[in-house]
């Protein structure tokens, strides 16, 4: 009797697994809230792959933008912003000379902070315009998305995901001020993990380790200036106190555009996944003549022939 029941149970299990992986399995509905610039150009490749695997993609972007344009592999929904295209482009391109500035370190730092504050104000205004657009929010709620894919460098996507009660997946390179460590409650031993922008390696002297611990305290002022408005905005929406770490800790999965070949090894939590470097532009394959030249003439040399 037991043997006669065992076979049907095995067949039922196999049938359920087959149905789960069958080609007719329904794809999910993904809401993408991107960050402007190179962040979106990298994310776009992942969005295209999701579409190729049968998922319905809706990209939510501002009307005033430079890179977030319509494509045939997603539906673009836009929302109005309280600034013009000229004002936005002046923000993005009008201060490019700061990169090459050679003044005193403190002066350059203060200029950079002022620019970041100004840029943050623009993105904050766009986020307010999005979250208080009642018709758009009602439409997004009615669409019943399965998840929100967003870059947390622009925290508006994380706030929106929580506002819609939809799981969030973060797609990023890094977040300043160790906010990713705090949000995931991940160990962050300063003794051997170099802090971003310190130029330290994973083999530090005592003084470099001291610098590695002090530097985040200094730049925390900058992060507070950039990100604290989103905590206030979330507190107003949810009618309760929301801390910055609460916004970032909402993520179900963190997809880091890095790996331990290019980045120093570090502790990770179960929901943190390294997916390798995702470039903004797909490289063209080398010409056969270039490959031949490299193989025949450059073998053993630390140089490039093409």
């Amino acid at each position: 009797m037991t043997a006669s029941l065992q076979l049907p149970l095995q067949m039922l299990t196999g049938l359920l697994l087959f149905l789960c992986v069958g080609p007719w399995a329904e794809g999910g509905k993904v809401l993408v809230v991107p960050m402007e610039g190179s962040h979106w150009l990298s994310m776009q490749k992942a969005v295209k792959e999701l579409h190729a695997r049968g998922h319905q993609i809706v990209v939510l972007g501002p009307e005033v933008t430079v890179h977030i344009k319509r494509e045939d592999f997603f539906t673009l929904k836009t929302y109005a912003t309280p600034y013009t295209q000229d004002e936005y482009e002046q923000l993005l391109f009008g201060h490019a000379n700061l990169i090459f500035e050679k003044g005193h370190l403190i002066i350059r730092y203060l200029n950079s902070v002022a620019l970041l504050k100004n840029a943050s104000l623009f993105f904050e205004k766009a986020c307010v315009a999005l979250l208080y657009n009642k018709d758009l929010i009602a439409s997004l709620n009615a669409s019943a998305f399965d998840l929100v894919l967003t870059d947390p460098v622009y925290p508006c996507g994380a706030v929106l995901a929580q506002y819609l009660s939809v799981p969030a997946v973060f797609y990023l390179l890094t977040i300043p001020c160790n906010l990713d460590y705090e949000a995931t409650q991940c160990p962050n031993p300063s003794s051997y993990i170099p802090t971003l922008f310190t130029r330290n390696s994973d083999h530090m002297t005592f003084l470099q380790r001291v610098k590695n611990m002090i530097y985040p305290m200094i730049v925390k002022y900058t992060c507070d200036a950039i990100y604290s408005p989103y905590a206030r905005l979330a507190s107003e929406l949810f009618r309760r106190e929301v801390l910055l770490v609460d916004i970032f800790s909402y993520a179900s999965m963190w997809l880091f555009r890095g790996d331990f070949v290019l980045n120093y090894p570090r502790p990770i939590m179960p929901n943190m996944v390294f997916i390798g470097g995702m470039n903004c532009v797909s490289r063209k394959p080398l010409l056969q003549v270039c490959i031949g030249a490299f193989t025949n003439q450059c073998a053993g040399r630390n140089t490039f022939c093409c």
Side-chain angles (χ1 to χ4, degrees), residues 222-237:
T222 307
C223 289
D224 287 343
I226 296 172
Y227 290 129
S228 58
Y230 296 96
R232 292 195 297 268
L233 179 58
S235 299
E236 292 174 5
L237 284 173

Side-chain angles (χ1 to χ4, degrees), residues 147-167:
L147 66 88
V148 172
L149 177 66
T150 187
D151 189 326
V153 171
Y154 179 44
C156 193
V159 177
L160 177 63
Q162 196 167 357
Y163 193 39
L164 298 175
S165 298
V166 177

Side-chain angles (χ1 to χ4, degrees), residues 1-10:
M1 182 69 176
T2 304
S4 63
L5 288 175
Q6 187 174 4
L7 183 60
L9 286 174
Q10 292 175 346

Side-chain angles (χ1 to χ4, degrees), residues 30-34 40 43 47 57-61 147-150:
V30 182
L31 177 63
V32 180
V33 185
W40 164 238
M43 180 184 283
V47 171
I57 311 295
V58 174
V59 174
L60 189 60
L147 66 88
V148 172
L149 177 66
T150 187

Side-chain angles (χ1 to χ4, degrees), residues 109 113 177 211 213-223:
Y109 173 75
V113 170
C177 306
K211 174 185 177 182
M213 295 185 65
I214 295 177
Y215 191 82
M217 301 177 189
I218 298 173
V219 298
K220 191 176 187 303
Y221 166 75
T222 307
C223 289

Side-chain angles (χ1 to χ4, degrees), residues 131-132 134 159 162-163 230-243 246-247:
L131 295 174
Y132 283 95
K134 294 183 179 179
V159 177
Q162 196 167 357
Y163 193 39
Y230 296 96
R232 292 195 297 268
L233 179 58
S235 299
E236 292 174 5
L237 284 173
F238 305 140
R239 297 181 181 179
R240 58 179 172 83
E241 184 181 7
V242 177
L243 303 177
D246 297 329
I247 295 174

